[in-house]
Amino acid sequence: RAQRHRTNVIAVFCSHIFKKNHDLTKAWKGKTEQLLRVDEHDFTMRPAFGGPAIPVGVDVQVESLDSISEVDMDFTMTLYLRHYWKDERLSFPSTNNKSMTFDGRLVKKIWVPDVFFVHSKRSFIHDTTTDNIMLRVFPDGHVLYSMRVTVTAMCNMDFSRFPLDSQTCSLELESYAYTDEDLMLYWKNGNESLKTDEKISLSQFLIQKFHTTSRLAFYSSTGWYNRLYINFTLRRHIFFFLLQTYFPATLMVMLSWVSFWIDRRAVPARVSLGITTVLTMSTIITGVNASMPRVSYIKAVDIYLWVSFVFVFLSVLEYAAVNYLTTVQERKERKLQKRFSCTCGIPHSKTMMLDGNYSESDANSLAGYTRNQMAPEEEKQEKIIVHLAMSNESNSSRKRGLKGHVGLRIIQNTHAIDKYSRLIFPGTYIFFNLIYWSVFS
């Protein structure tokens, strides 16, 4: 009696389960392969083999842009790649049109599109904690195949305007084996087939636009293939390079101008300042090129840095010219002093040539001397001829004469080339900056 009672309870329970789960996909107790009739078909063939091309819709959700490498000229992207197609061999009976969802283990037993990434360097399907693959089959045979992929692909970048540049990269999808006569790849919802995460951001770039395109690709040995493109445009942030490259270079150029206000006889100060700025500019140029690919054309940053380097180098050459001309001038002054020393025997008048190094006692000892000869016209701008008449000058007049003498010394210690350089160098560099930023901004 007890056994009969248990049998009745089990029968009532099974009847209740059957009424609640009248969908055969929920009440199926056999193997999934038997429900989908996997063993009854040859899934090495594409669906509708021998007929028209099978349409395979694609949509993508970009999860992240992991990195952009200028040196390797590539980018790394993580995305959810989904395929949609119909395979009537996978249809199954269902009264409520319920779908069945599987993981990656069933994918190995059925036909799936052989889509690959063109120009891919590295790619992999995530496998933590299991393979990130999802397969969803509908009763009428429609299939959704989704996977989470990280791919590193090539991007042909143009650095002619670096770092004021914008780059456009593409991730290309294509069937490896099936031509357009067997498989037709298309974006399932047009431009709406591409979704992006709102949190996507890059440290050096501003993501301007994502969009999709498609076209045919031809291979001479195999034929025409449908190719899908995920295009995105990146604009580089300039502020980082302003702080790390442009501002230091500009400051070095301005620092090289300080030497124009230093006494031309201060050789160690002016030479050390010039050499320091030249070496600093060389370091900046080397640091920028170390993080860039070895392209054979000139970049925008190269123009700015090398022009700045030329300005710094010219400031060093400017002092070399000033120092050389000063040496020549002093040599001529010494020759003139020897020439005028022969007139010292005249009883009431004598001639004396002063340079900028005579002391007050030397100036006072010249009382009673008059000028009896004039320097040649070409030497008037280079020499100072001082005439002191023999008279009883007061102390106040002597002081005024000495003040004028000091003023002449200050003027003599500044070469004419330094005067012009104070205006020409800054003016030219400002003009260069106006043209540079108007062209490349």
Side-chain angles (χ1 to χ4, degrees):
R1 182 180 298 177
Q3 185 176 0
R4 186 182 303 171
H5 179 70
R6 286 195 299 271
T7 303
N8 293 335
V9 170
I10 294 173
V12 171
F13 179 75
C14 292
S15 175
H16 177 72
I17 294 297
F18 181 78
K19 291 180 180 180
K20 184 177 181 180
N21 299 324
H22 49 274
D23 189 353
L24 292 178
T25 62
K26 305 297 182 180
W28 184 260
K29 296 182 180 180
K31 294 182 178 180
T32 302
E33 290 83 351
Q34 295 176 0
L35 176 62
L36 298 178
R37 303 190 303 276
V38 173
D39 296 333
E40 299 179 9
H41 302 282
D42 183 9
F43 282 96
T44 59
M45 299 291 185
R46 68 172 179 87
F49 180 77
I54 174 176
V56 177
V58 176
D59 69 36
V60 171
Q61 180 174 347
V62 179
E63 181 182 7
S64 65
L65 268 174
D66 301 322
S67 64
I68 306 291
S69 175
E70 290 88 357
V71 177
D72 299 327
M73 298 184 70
D74 60 23
F75 65 92
T76 302
M77 177 185 294
T78 299
L79 52 89
Y80 297 95
L81 178 61
R82 305 184 184 99
H83 306 80
Y84 302 85
W85 73 94
K86 184 177 182 180
D87 191 345
E88 294 182 352
R89 296 171 295 183
L90 298 177
S91 60
F92 59 90
S94 176
T95 56
N96 285 346
N97 197 29
K98 298 291 183 180
S99 63
M100 291 191 298
T101 302
F102 308 94
D103 58 17
R105 287 171 288 188
L106 185 63
V107 173
K108 300 177 182 179
K109 299 181 180 180
I110 64 173
W111 182 89
V112 294
D114 60 338
V115 174
F116 78 105
F117 297 102
V118 185
H119 306 308
S120 171
K121 295 182 178 180
R122 296 173 300 276
S123 61
F124 62 92
I125 298 175
H126 290 257
D127 56 1
T128 305
T129 56
T130 59
D131 292 340
N132 295 173
I133 296 175
M134 187 266 292
L135 186 70
R136 183 172 294 169
V137 183
F138 294 87
D140 59 353
H142 280 89
V143 180
L144 165 61
Y145 176 44
S146 176
M147 66 185 76
R148 181 168 175 254
V149 184
T150 293
V151 56
T152 300
M154 183 180 64
C155 178
N156 293 322
M157 301 182 184
D158 182 12
F159 297 106
S160 59
R161 299 177 65 88
F162 176 89
L164 305 168
D165 59 333
S166 296
Q167 303 294 341
T168 299
C169 301
S170 299
L171 183 63
E172 306 171 16
L173 296 84
E174 182 182 304
S175 173
Y176 191 84
Y178 297 100
T179 65
D180 61 338
E181 297 178 354
D182 291 318
L183 189 145
M184 183 181 68
L185 276 180
Y186 69 97
W187 290 111
K188 188 174 185 296
N189 299 313
N191 287 330
E192 300 298 324
S193 301
L194 180 61
K195 303 292 183 181
T196 58
D197 195 329
E198 296 179 355
K199 297 180 180 180
I200 293 179
S201 63
L202 293 169
S203 59
Q204 291 191 24
F205 292 92
L206 173 65
I207 302 176
Q208 290 186 318
K209 182 174 64 173
F210 272 94
H211 66 282
T212 60
T213 55
S214 61
R215 63 175 65 103
L216 290 175
F218 177 73
Y219 297 91
S220 59
S221 300
T222 53
W224 294 89
Y225 294 81
N226 294 110
R227 182 177 294 183
L228 306 181
Y229 296 81
I230 303 173
N231 305 309
F232 56 95
T233 303
L234 306 172
R235 184 170 184 177
R236 196 181 305 273
H237 293 299
I238 185 59
F239 189 71
F240 171 82
F241 296 94
L242 288 177
L243 292 179
Q244 300 295 324
T245 303
Y246 287 95
F247 285 167
T250 304
L251 291 177
M252 287 300 104
V253 175
M254 296 175 65
L255 183 61
S256 68
W257 300 339
V258 175
S259 64
F260 303 150
W261 277 265
I262 299 177
D263 188 351
R264 58 176 175 170
R265 293 181 175 84
V267 178
R270 297 190 65 163
V271 171
S272 61
L273 180 60
I275 296 301
T276 300
T277 52
V278 168
L279 293 178
T280 304
M281 283 301 305
S282 300
T283 303
I284 295 175
I285 295 174
T286 303
V288 172
N289 291 330
S291 60
M292 294 296 299
R294 298 178 180 178
V295 294
S296 58
Y297 50 85
I298 299 176
K299 304 180 290 294
V301 68
D302 293 335
I303 296 176
Y304 193 90
L305 291 179
W306 280 104
V307 170
S308 300
F309 182 85
V310 169
F311 271 88
V312 172
F313 185 72
L314 287 178
S315 67
V316 178
L317 295 183
E318 186 269 349
Y319 177 64
V322 169
N323 186 269
Y324 173 75
L325 294 178
T326 301
T327 304
V328 174
Q329 177 181 340
E330 291 177 349
R331 187 181 301 116
K332 290 181 179 179
E333 289 178 355
R334 287 194 296 268
K335 291 181 179 179
L336 286 175
Q337 289 176 5
K338 295 179 180 179
R339 181 186 304 176
F340 283 100
S341 63
C342 63
T343 63
C344 61
I346 299 176
H348 296 289
S349 64
K350 295 183 179 181
T351 302
M352 180 63 67
M353 182 69 64
L354 275 180
D355 63 2
N357 296 322
Y358 278 81
S359 64
E360 181 179 356
S361 60
D362 297 330
N364 293 334
S365 64
L366 295 176
Y369 288 83
T370 59
R371 180 180 61 185
N372 60 355
Q373 293 184 7
M374 294 296 294
E377 289 295 329
E378 64 272 15
E379 297 175 354
K380 285 183 179 180
Q381 297 181 357
E382 300 177 357
K383 306 298 180 293
I384 301 174
I385 301 177
V386 179
H387 167 246
L388 296 176
M390 183 175 62
S391 62
N392 294 325
E393 295 180 338
S394 62
N395 293 331
S396 60
S397 62
R398 292 181 180 181
K399 292 181 179 180
R400 287 195 299 268
L402 289 175
K403 289 182 179 179
H405 180 65
V406 173
L408 290 174
R409 286 188 60 188
I410 295 175
I411 295 175
Q412 280 298 101
N413 288 338
T414 301
H415 200 277
I417 297 179
D418 283 338
K419 294 179 182 179
Y420 291 122
S421 297
R422 294 172 187 175
L423 298 176
I424 295 175
F425 274 72
T428 307
Y429 194 69
I430 292 173
F431 180 71
F432 161 72
N433 274 270
L434 291 176
I435 295 178
Y436 179 87
W437 293 108
S438 61
V439 170
F440 290 102
S441 296

